[in-house]
Amino acid sequence: MSDMSRIKTFNLPDLGEGLTEGEILAWLVKVGDTIELNQPIVEVETAKAAVEIPAKWAGQVQAIHHPEGTTVEVGTPIIAIDTDPGAGPLDTPSTTATPDGDLPTPSAASLAAVEVAPAEGMIEPGLIGGAAPGGRTAVLVGYGPRTTSAKRRPRKGAVPAQTATTVAPAGVDHGVVVGDKPAGTPTIPAPHVHDRRGGAVGAVAAGVLAKPPVRKLAKDLGVDLRTLTGSGPLGSITREDVQQALSGATAAAEPIIATSTATSAASFGADREQRIPVKGVRKLTAENMSRSAFTAPHVTEFLTVDVTRGMKALERLRGRREWRDVRVSPLLLVAKAVLLAVKRHPMVNSTWAGDEIVVKEYVNLGIAAATERGLIVPNVKDAGRLPLRELADALNNLVQTAKSGRTSPADMSGGTLTITNVGVFGVDTGTPILPPGESAILAFGAVREMPWVHKGKVKPRQVTTLGLSFDHRIIDGELGSKFLRDIGDFLADPEAALLAWT
């Protein structure tokens, strides 16, 4: 078998929902490792979830093209695999990213030996995805992006293409993007920029591993990246490195001036600020919430309910033999109340579609979950058809998967109605924002023991507050009030509500 047919390049696949890029969180293999078919090789975070991507071939890892922390577009080569390592050594040694972010220069023979598998399709420059029937590519979940030119807005103050500089020698492609152009572009001398202190600084600081925002910051502040030692992944230069270098240079250049006060004035600059990149799940959540808040006219109603009987019913349920190994929480009671109330008021489970309202006969019940990567809303598919025991198992699995960060994009799509359990944070209720495409969301507050008038006397009772936000284009005040009232009635006395409604 020739080197050309042995080496396969694995491109970042479309992970579903038309996502166009992902961030490499962690490599699960290293150069030289022997891998099996469908073995997880890399963990990638998209705008919806973190997923492990399996290998398409068995073999030996020959090259890793992008270090951890890099955001790459769908269709970009990320790893090279030798599918027949037993056939003998290749013409050139394996390559991987060095701590400085650079790759050893491969030979022309090794470059010619790397090919894209026919199943992936050749991806032309400037295109997302390759040629396939219907103009789409094969993906892990859902439909891939169309074969259309990727359009980007020009950056403000971007260096013209004819003056851009790259790290790699002309004609060599290491698979790593440095600066604003991919490695492999012929090297052209970079113009010099004079900083505000009079020093000449390279325009793109060739040979240094740094993200474009960090390069721009260094350029604006007049810091030469080539003089810095990176503290980021694989020795990359971070924003903090640039700011620390600037503060150090300023302290060295300016003489110390005695002041009349014993202590210096407090600093309110960048050295006491933290900048967190908005990406992945957090970025998608921000976009969805902004779009929903300024598209659907929100109305929120509140209801305070004595749930003492409901909590006692849960205790009796936990005591039953067939339920002793099941986690039974108040959220289960709320979910059942919502599903029963939807049957009585189907219009609540609908979507505004411009010139029509789509009423859905199935309920994909979303449960808002706070994770380390941000807010996600996975949902239980067709929850209205599940018996109570299966609903409890589904809710428990959903919550545990979300906490572990393993929720798939498919589990977060198609939601029709959502519950947000803000009570776990010790608050009474809130005014939740509708997930896009849904017409109602219920906030379930903390269950507290409070004084309550019961049978004409003030007694300590278990009380909670519900908050229902709904799309006023679909749900008017009467419908929203009846729906919320039914949920409250079920929580107050589940047995009586079931007898009355079924």
Side-chain angles (χ1 to χ4, degrees), residues 237-254:
I237 305 298
T238 66
R239 180 181 293 271
E240 290 72 19
D241 295 334
V242 175
Q243 293 170 343
Q244 184 176 0
L246 178 65
S247 61
T250 303
E254 297 178 356

Side-chain angles (χ1 to χ4, degrees), residues 228-280:
L228 306 184
T229 300
S231 62
L234 298 177
S236 60
I237 305 298
T238 66
R239 180 181 293 271
E240 290 72 19
D241 295 334
V242 175
Q243 293 170 343
Q244 184 176 0
L246 178 65
S247 61
T250 303
E254 297 178 356
I256 299 176
I257 301 175
T259 60
S260 58
T261 58
T263 58
S264 60
S267 170
F268 300 102
D271 59 324
R272 297 180 63 190
E273 297 175 348
Q274 181 183 11
R275 295 179 180 270
I276 302 174
V278 179
K279 57 184 179 180

Side-chain angles (χ1 to χ4, degrees), residues 9-48:
T9 297
F10 185 83
N11 296 340
L12 179 67
D14 178 14
L15 302 174
E17 300 297 312
L19 302 175
T20 59
E21 65 180 16
E23 179 185 357
I24 296 176
L25 293 180
W27 281 105
L28 308 179
V29 296
K30 61 182 182 297
V31 170
D33 283 358
T34 300
I35 59 176
E36 300 177 354
L37 178 66
N38 293 327
Q39 174 182 335
I41 57 175
V42 63
E43 184 179 16
V44 176
E45 181 183 39
T46 68
K48 290 197 171 184

Side-chain angles (χ1 to χ4, degrees), residues 110-437:
S110 66
L111 292 173
V114 178
E115 65 171 359
V116 176
E120 287 289 322
M122 298 301 292
I123 300 177
E124 299 178 1
L127 296 184
I128 299 176
R136 295 183 180 271
T137 55
V139 298
L140 295 180
V141 182
Y143 299 98
R146 293 187 179 278
T147 310
T148 54
S149 297
K151 298 181 180 179
R152 296 184 178 179
R153 293 179 296 177
R155 298 179 179 175
K156 295 183 180 179
V159 179
Q162 63 269 24
T163 63
T165 305
T166 61
V167 176
V172 177
D173 181 6
H174 288 169
V176 176
V177 176
V178 182
D180 292 331
K181 296 184 66 180
T185 305
T187 303
I188 301 175
H192 282 71
V193 180
H194 288 270
D195 68 8
R196 59 189 178 189
R197 294 185 296 275
V201 180
V204 294
V208 177
L209 182 61
K211 293 184 178 180
V214 177
R215 293 182 179 275
K216 183 177 185 303
L217 175 65
K219 179 180 177 182
D220 293 342
L221 298 179
V223 175
D224 189 347
L225 292 178
R226 293 170 294 186
T227 65
L228 306 184
T229 300
S231 62
L234 298 177
S236 60
I237 305 298
T238 66
R239 180 181 293 271
E240 290 72 19
D241 295 334
V242 175
Q243 293 170 343
Q244 184 176 0
L246 178 65
S247 61
T250 303
E254 297 178 356
I256 299 176
I257 301 175
T259 60
S260 58
T261 58
T263 58
S264 60
S267 170
F268 300 102
D271 59 324
R272 297 180 63 190
E273 297 175 348
Q274 181 183 11
R275 295 179 180 270
I276 302 174
V278 179
K279 57 184 179 180
V281 174
R282 191 176 301 276
K283 182 177 181 180
L284 180 67
T285 300
E287 293 172 351
N288 286 342
M289 294 299 97
S290 297
R291 183 169 69 253
S292 176
F294 295 101
T295 300
H298 284 57
V299 173
T300 305
E301 293 185 336
F302 304 96
L303 179 65
T304 302
V305 185
D306 176 5
V307 295
T308 305
R309 289 184 179 178
M311 296 302 103
K312 289 181 178 179
L314 285 182
E315 287 297 330
R316 292 194 297 272
L317 188 63
R318 294 187 186 103
R320 296 183 65 88
R321 182 171 51 193
E322 61 271 27
W323 282 81
R324 288 176 183 172
D325 60 341
V326 181
R327 183 177 183 274
V328 179
S329 69
L331 179 62
L332 174 62
L333 199 64
V334 175
K336 188 63 177 179
V338 168
L339 294 171
L340 290 174
V342 166
K343 289 183 178 180
R344 291 168 55 82
H345 310 284
M347 184 67 74
V348 172
N349 188 50
S350 59
T351 297
W352 181 268
D355 56 351
E356 60 183 1
I357 296 173
V358 181
V359 182
K360 300 171 182 178
E361 297 179 359
Y362 55 90
V363 181
N364 292 341
L365 185 62
I367 305 295
T371 70
E372 293 182 356
R373 297 187 177 95
L375 175 68
I376 63 174
V377 187
N379 61 79
V380 178
K381 298 293 190 290
D382 214 357
R385 292 190 175 185
L386 298 179
L388 189 62
R389 172 59 187 268
E390 293 183 18
L391 180 61
D393 292 337
L395 290 175
N396 291 333
N397 292 337
L398 180 147
V399 172
Q400 293 304 318
T401 302
K403 287 182 178 179
S404 66
R406 301 299 178 186
T407 303
S408 68
D411 290 336
M412 290 187 287
S413 62
T416 64
L417 191 65
T418 295
I419 298 172
T420 175
N421 186 10
V422 297
V424 297
F425 305 112
V427 300
D428 293 328
T429 190
T431 56
I433 297 177
L434 293 168

Side-chain angles (χ1 to χ4, degrees), residues 43 96 247 405 427 449 465 493:
E43 184 179 16
T96 189
S247 61
V427 300
E449 189 172 67
T465 300
D493 194 343

